[in-house]
Amino acid sequence: MIELTDIAYVRSGAADLDTAVRFAVDVVGMELTAQEDGVAYLRADPRHHCLALVEGESGVISSGFTLRDEDALADAETELEKAGVTVARGDAAAARSRRVRDFLSFDDPFGNRIELVIDQVTLTAPVRYGREAGITEFGHLCLDAPDVREAYRFWNGHFNARVSDWIGDWACLMRIDPVHHKLAVFQGSQPGLCHINFQVGSLDDVMRNWHFLEANGVEIEMGPGRHPQSTAVFVYFKGPEGITYEYSWGVRLITDEDAWRPRYFDPAEIGSIDMWQGPTRRVHTQPQIRRPLGSTGK
Ligand SMILES: CC(C)c1ccc(C(=O)O)c(O)c1O
Ligand SMILES: [Fe+2]
């Protein structure tokens, strides 16, 4: 069993890097921590970055998760290889580019590129948010997969990911710690990034952000609303390069592992995704960039 200790980052291609960075800073409210070799690093909390925008073809490149230490990384490599998953170790330059000490990468059964990392760099300076959006942390990432049940078998079979709630065969929300979900899989025709979530400090932040987004002509994909699963109040919006961002506040913590029973929400039922019953537009997808394993594409 491979124990994921946290989410680390999303790495994504940007055909127009400057526009994508400006949006991430001026609209989403992240801090640009560094920009070098065609990569812009953005953070929302003490992690060196949780979003790396890589100049080039638009689309998600990989999603990173942390492991405890190098023994855990070696064990993960062995376990995945035994299961027939092709795994590649990152080289020093690629690790440096990710601001981690070491990492390995592989594709999930659908082609989503996953990276397991150790020693992601932490920055000590207070985050200098691009705007007062009220962001407190990188909350979760949601991948696309054509078969959500099969995706769960993969994540639960090899990793410590446990389903917190199902939304039909449409979405699986998984926890790797007491937070209701840090990883989700959403049904999509191809692998990709469904969205990247930022937690904000209050309900007021969600609503203020919604007004800010509307006033600045940003496309709202869904919300404001309240998810019955995590109980979080949310708003989803679309940024450049096809990236969907979500702000949310009030995520449920599952503190009694033995007592929690995953619920099943039928997406056809009113209120199953939004208790406030707002219009449920499909959250858009940013497709995966297809690359041979081992090629890091920066
Ligand atoms: C619609 C998506 C997959 C979704 C559903 C529920 C929650 C939540 O309970 O917080 C999300 O964050 C989602 O992104
Ligand atoms: Fe979400």
Side-chain angles (χ1 to χ4, degrees):
M1 176 68 60
I2 303 167
E3 196 181 330
L4 306 172
T5 52
D6 210 343
I7 48 175
Y9 54 74
V10 167
R11 205 168 167 85
S12 188
D16 179 351
L17 187 61
D18 287 346
T19 301
V21 168
R22 284 276 54 89
F23 187 90
V25 173
D26 297 342
V27 177
V28 183
M30 304 175 78
E31 175 187 347
L32 177 66
T33 49
Q35 187 160 354
E36 61 191 36
D37 303 328
V39 186
Y41 299 95
L42 296 133
R43 74 169 175 153
D45 56 30
R47 296 165 177 91
H48 175 274
H49 65 276
C50 60
L51 178 62
L53 294 171
V54 180
E55 191 161 38
E57 191 185 342
S58 182
V60 61
I61 297 169
S62 60
S63 304
F65 295 82
T66 55
L67 300 187
R68 191 187 60 249
D69 57 22
E70 52 210 19
D71 288 347
L73 194 66
D75 290 349
E77 190 168 19
T78 306
E79 171 160 354
L80 288 167
E81 279 173 346
K82 264 193 199 149
V85 178
T86 306
V87 179
R89 277 276 176 163
D91 62 22
R96 165 71 190 155
S97 178
R98 285 154 179 74
R99 295 302 196 277
V100 301
R101 199 156 62 83
D102 203 354
F103 76 104
L104 54 82
S105 59
F106 58 93
D107 288 346
D108 79 0
F110 308 99
N112 286 300
R113 176 68 44 87
I114 308 298
E115 296 178 347
L116 302 180
V117 313
I118 55 167
D119 296 329
Q120 182 181 29
V121 169
T122 293
L123 298 179
T124 58
V127 183
R128 293 165 60 172
Y129 292 103
R131 130 183 126 74
E132 287 182 12
I135 292 176
T136 55
E137 64 175 337
F138 174 30
H140 61 257
L141 63 91
C142 181
L143 301 174
D144 278 313
D147 184 340
V148 169
R149 299 271 158 182
E150 185 59 32
Y152 182 62
R153 273 191 284 280
F154 178 76
W155 285 104
N156 179 248
H158 297 298
F159 302 89
N160 57 328
R162 299 184 68 183
V163 61
S164 295
D165 285 311
W166 294 102
I167 309 176
D169 289 338
W170 203 58
C172 174
L173 305 166
M174 291 172 266
R175 66 188 181 281
I176 54 174
D177 64 20
V179 175
H180 178 273
H181 61 285
K182 283 197 171 167
L183 168 64
V185 178
F186 191 88
Q187 193 178 54
S189 55
Q190 52 183 340
L193 178 73
C194 176
H195 64 273
I196 176 169
N197 170 284
F198 297 97
Q199 299 291 302
V200 295
S202 70
L203 173 61
D204 296 334
D205 289 323
V206 178
M207 300 309 279
R208 261 194 300 267
N209 284 327
W210 171 52
H211 285 306
F212 174 88
L213 296 167
E214 292 260 271
N216 285 277
V218 177
E219 183 189 344
I220 305 291
E221 292 197 326
M222 192 161 62
R226 186 172 204 134
H227 287 305
Q229 292 78 30
S230 68
T231 71
V233 176
F234 64 84
V235 62
Y236 296 83
F237 57 103
K238 183 85 163 191
E241 310 292 341
I243 301 178
T244 293
Y245 296 89
E246 177 188 18
Y247 293 126
S248 68
W249 165 81
V251 67
R252 179 197 295 279
L253 296 182
I254 297 177
T255 48
D256 187 345
E257 271 290 322
D258 298 329
W260 184 260
R261 298 282 173 274
R263 284 97 37 93
Y264 181 86
F265 297 86
D266 182 347
E269 296 290 342
I270 289 172
S272 59
I273 289 130
D274 176 9
M275 297 165 76
W276 296 348
Q277 303 180 11
T280 50
R281 278 153 281 173
R282 193 201 184 295
V283 174
H284 293 98
T285 285
Q286 191 207 28
Q288 175 90 12
I289 301 176
R290 318 291 293 179
R291 292 184 201 283
L293 199 61
S295 78
T296 47
K298 281 193 189 165

